[in-house]
């Protein structure tokens, strides 16, 4: 995945035409498109190949099962054309290794959730986040998912993993996080959904966030 705008679109709409229209509208401002259960359950796995015309696709299935089932899921995801998959880390090293094994067969990437961005993410997952981050780093994952709603946590996770892994960070806009803050805290990409796909002009909304990030990276904020 190439780092250009440092932004990933979370395309959580449930209508195929709307998804394709938004992707066509904003592709120049995003480095990847993240799809998950809402869009894929509504339209089918084939939407991955259609959207891949516009940008690399991250399949957010938060895979969280025993190794054999994880293997079967990841195989389907990569066979469908996804460039990366998001998996949970709390299921342990053997479950993560199963995902990494399939990703490596396809030469694709795995992102591991270390901590979630919603308030409930602090209840059970946050206490385990640093151990999950270390495990993902040792296992050779491509990146981590860490919360834009808590930039101080992103900073902490970045300290733990150094430059070895990338960080993608959801929670910007609708959940209250600010793109420039989380990029400053050490995230490589922010993930933005509702603030773009629900905007009157998704293209303008994406352009504004991309400009905010660019200014941050130029040191103008
Ligand atoms: O809040 P938004 O509409 O910008 O969407 C955020 C996306 O990122 C959405 O797809 C959600 O499922 C995903 N996500 C989180 O919000 C928080 C996490 O910890 C992990 C994934």
């Amino acid at each position: 995945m190439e780092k250009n705008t440092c932004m990933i679109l979370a395309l959580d709409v449930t209508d195929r035409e709307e998804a394709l229209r938004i992707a066509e509208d904003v592709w120049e401002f995003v480095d990847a498109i993240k799809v998950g259960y809402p869009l894929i359950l509504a339209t089918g796995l084939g939407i991955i190949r259609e959207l891949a015309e516009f940008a690399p696709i991250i399949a957010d299935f938060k895979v969280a099962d025993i190794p054999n089932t994880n293997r079967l899921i990841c195989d389907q995801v990569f066979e469908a054309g996804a460039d990366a998959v998001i998996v949970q880390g709390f299921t342990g090293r053997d479950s993560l290794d199963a995902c990494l094994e399939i990703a490596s067969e396809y030469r694709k990437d795995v992102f591991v959730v270390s901590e979630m961005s919603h308030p409930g993410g602090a209840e059970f997952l946050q206490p385990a986040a640093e151990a999950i981050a270390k495990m993902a780093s040792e296992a050779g994952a491509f990146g981590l998912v860490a919360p834009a709603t808590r930039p101080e946590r992103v900073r902490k996770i970045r300290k733990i993993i150094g430059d070895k892994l990338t960080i993608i960070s959801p929670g910007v806009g609708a959940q209250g996080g600010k793109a420039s803050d989380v990029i400053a805290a050490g995230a490589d990409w922010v993930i933005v959904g509702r603030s773009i796909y629900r905007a009157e002009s998704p293209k303008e909304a994406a352009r504004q966030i991309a400009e905010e990030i660019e200014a941050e990276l130029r040191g103008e904020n």
Side-chain angles (χ1 to χ4, degrees), residues 10-12 34 60 62 86 113 115-118 145-147 170-175 191-195 197:
L11 196 46
D12 294 325
K34 183 179 84 64
D60 184 1
K62 297 194 179 68
I86 294 178
V113 178
E115 177 177 333
M116 296 188 73
S117 59
H118 62 313
V145 184
V172 164
Q175 296 181 54
I191 299 172
V192 190
R194 285 164 286 179
S195 297
Y197 68 74

Side-chain angles (χ1 to χ4, degrees), residues 95-190:
S95 289
L96 172 58
D97 280 345
C99 299
L100 289 166
E101 185 189 305
I102 301 297
S104 123
E105 277 173 24
Y106 284 87
R107 298 178 177 277
K108 303 293 184 186
D109 295 321
V110 171
F111 291 97
V112 180
V113 178
S114 57
E115 177 177 333
M116 296 188 73
S117 59
H118 62 313
E123 278 177 46
F124 300 109
L125 204 46
Q126 193 183 79
E130 292 164 30
I132 291 173
K134 271 188 210 137
M135 174 192 69
S137 175
E138 284 162 16
F142 178 68
L144 289 175
V145 184
T149 47
R150 300 183 205 101
E152 75 285 0
R153 295 291 303 155
V154 172
R155 193 166 275 115
K156 174 88 193 187
I157 297 286
R158 172 56 78 201
K159 242 191 203 147
I160 288 171
I161 59 171
D163 289 333
K164 204 175 148 203
L165 272 73
T166 58
I167 296 178
I168 59 177
S169 191
V172 164
Q175 296 181 54
K178 189 165 165 49
S180 46
D181 288 351
V182 74
I183 293 292
D188 295 281
W189 286 278
V190 294

Side-chain angles (χ1 to χ4, degrees), residues 15-64:
D15 179 79
R16 177 182 165 272
E17 272 73 36
E18 189 185 1
L20 293 171
R21 198 169 55 239
I22 294 168
E24 189 168 9
D25 223 24
V26 309
W27 67 268
E28 63 190 296
F29 299 111
V30 300
D31 290 338
I33 297 174
K34 183 179 84 64
V35 295
Y37 293 109
L39 181 60
I40 290 177
L41 290 176
T43 65
L45 264 181
I47 192 74
I48 291 182
R49 283 230 155 70
E50 291 190 275
L51 288 170
E53 300 277 319
F54 301 102
I57 303 298
I58 301 173
D60 184 1
F61 286 115
K62 297 194 179 68
V63 183

